[in-house]
Amino acid sequence: MAAALEETPVSYEDLADIERDFDDAETDIIRKQVLLTAPLYARRSKTISQIPNFWPLVLEQAPPDIDQYIQPSDSALLLSSLLSLSVSHFEITENGHGDPRSVSVRFEFAENEYFEDKVLEKKFWYRRSRDGWSGLVSEPVPIRWKKDRDLTGGLLDMVVKAWEGEKTTASRNSNGAVKGKGGLSPEQKALKKKIENTGMGGLSFFAWFGFIGRHVSAEESAAATAAEKQKREDDVGMSLEIFPDGDDLAVAFTEDLWPGAIKYFTQAQEQDALSDADFESDDEDRDLDEPAEDSEDEEDGERPAKKQRSA
């Protein structure tokens, strides 16, 4: 089976060309879809802005790809303070150019007891590296936590410090300074130790704002697109990630929760209606379980005790 192509005029390069053409076509389809649906999303945003707690109710019905990352403490904050959520394909220009796979997820919050920020926006750029990898990369977003209210336990702040230090070092290196011998900076060492000593299971959803992904600059991405077979330099990699699935979560927001918001809101309403019906049914059952009042009770003006429901 491995030598199947040896007996044909077809080469692996031919197959790779077809795959690239499919990729280009898919990207063009996404771009056109974004442009066609933009007025609909604008109309939807205007309509749902008149519905109290729309987005908290949507998040209550979030699919498993999102819900699994929302801890009880996160849920308490999101359900009480989230005002709006939106997704934009920020690299698409008015004339339809730009990569539609780059996305921004924006959250707006009311005043709350956890942080000072009114808006948290996380951007993801679609990039390609020289070794052939392609996907979403990002930059850490700082959150101005109130005293003793950091849901990430300091991890997000440490990621931001390490990122800023790495950018400063990269800037110095680009100006001719001697590059380090592959070692970690003090900020990166502290972050690595914190990650190793922290149980990453059950980590706050807000650690997602610290996701970076592979270190692929815009310049490298452009060069890799033009020459996909060039070998890429090694970098620190995923060992310093506090939210390794950050790109998957961005895709879940973009391709599921955002376009399906009305569906999830309707499900929340239906679930509330069922809960109310159950509550009313319980009340009716309790009424039927009450023993009939006799004349003595009526004369004394005393209410008979309710009979305990059997388990």
Side-chain angles (χ1 to χ4, degrees):
M1 293 296 292
L5 288 184
E6 293 181 1
E7 302 175 0
T8 73
V10 179
S11 68
Y12 284 105
E13 287 74 18
D14 294 330
L15 298 178
D17 285 341
I18 294 174
E19 285 297 299
R20 280 191 288 271
D21 288 342
F22 269 113
D23 185 63
D24 290 342
E26 182 179 355
T27 302
D28 195 40
I29 290 171
I30 297 172
R31 185 182 295 109
K32 290 178 180 177
Q33 181 181 24
V34 169
L35 293 172
L36 284 172
T37 56
L40 293 176
Y41 281 118
R43 176 185 167 194
R44 188 186 74 176
S45 295
K46 182 178 180 180
T47 301
I48 65 178
S49 66
Q50 304 172 65
I51 304 175
N53 299 318
F54 178 87
W55 285 108
L57 288 170
V58 169
L59 279 181
E60 272 195 330
Q61 298 297 316
D65 288 347
I66 295 175
D67 186 65
Q68 64 178 318
Y69 298 111
I70 299 178
Q71 306 305 319
S73 55
D74 302 327
S75 182
L77 168 57
L78 291 168
L79 296 182
S80 65
S81 304
L82 182 64
L83 297 177
S84 70
L85 184 156
S86 60
V87 171
S88 64
H89 301 258
F90 60 91
E91 284 196 330
I92 294 185
T93 61
E94 292 183 359
N95 55 9
H97 297 298
D99 198 318
R101 293 167 292 190
S102 296
V103 296
S104 170
V105 185
R106 176 187 171 94
F107 302 80
E108 294 186 24
F109 292 91
E111 179 69 29
N112 62 80
E113 61 180 291
Y114 290 91
F115 48 71
E116 302 288 348
D117 306 272
K118 296 297 187 293
V119 173
L120 295 176
E121 184 174 10
K122 180 78 170 163
K123 286 187 173 183
F124 294 82
W125 290 265
Y126 186 88
R127 287 182 180 161
R128 189 186 306 276
S129 68
R130 295 190 185 102
D131 65 0
W133 176 89
S134 60
L136 297 175
V137 303
S138 187
E139 297 182 358
V141 177
I143 295 178
R144 295 178 295 162
W145 300 102
K146 293 182 179 179
K147 183 175 176 59
D148 299 326
R149 304 304 289 171
D150 185 347
L151 295 176
T152 71
L155 269 171
L156 180 57
D157 287 346
M158 295 180 74
V159 172
V160 172
K161 288 181 181 179
W163 174 257
E164 293 296 335
E166 185 176 353
K167 286 202 303 183
T168 301
T169 301
S171 177
R172 287 201 301 266
N173 290 337
S174 66
N175 291 328
V178 178
K179 199 170 186 176
K181 298 182 178 181
L184 300 179
S185 68
E187 294 86 358
Q188 289 174 327
K189 289 179 180 178
L191 174 59
K192 192 171 188 294
K193 183 177 180 180
K194 177 78 170 177
I195 291 174
E196 291 172 348
N197 295 333
T198 300
M200 303 309 283
L203 190 63
S204 169
F205 160 77
F206 289 91
W208 177 63
F209 288 91
F211 171 79
I212 297 171
R214 295 185 64 164
H215 293 196
V216 183
S217 67
E219 293 77 16
E220 180 185 342
S221 182
T225 300
E228 294 180 3
K229 294 183 180 181
Q230 294 181 27
K231 186 178 180 180
R232 178 178 170 272
E233 294 180 355
D234 291 334
D235 55 43
V236 176
M238 301 294 287
S239 64
L240 299 180
E241 278 295 346
I242 65 170
F243 208 103
D245 298 330
D247 49 350
D248 292 335
L249 184 53
V251 171
F253 272 117
T254 303
E255 298 183 359
D256 192 340
L257 192 79
W258 171 245
I262 292 178
K263 175 187 72 175
Y264 289 119
F265 175 76
T266 302
Q267 289 176 359
Q269 296 297 297
E270 292 172 349
Q271 184 169 326
D272 286 346
L274 288 174
S275 299
D276 291 342
D278 290 340
F279 180 77
E280 291 172 1
S281 176
D282 287 344
D283 283 347
E284 291 174 1
D285 290 343
R286 281 194 290 272
D287 290 341
L288 291 174
D289 286 342
E290 291 181 6
E293 295 180 356
D294 56 28
S295 57
E296 292 181 1
D297 290 328
E298 292 176 356
E299 292 175 359
D300 295 338
E302 296 178 358
R303 297 184 61 189
K306 286 189 177 181
K307 181 176 165 184
Q308 293 295 324
R309 297 184 66 193
S310 58

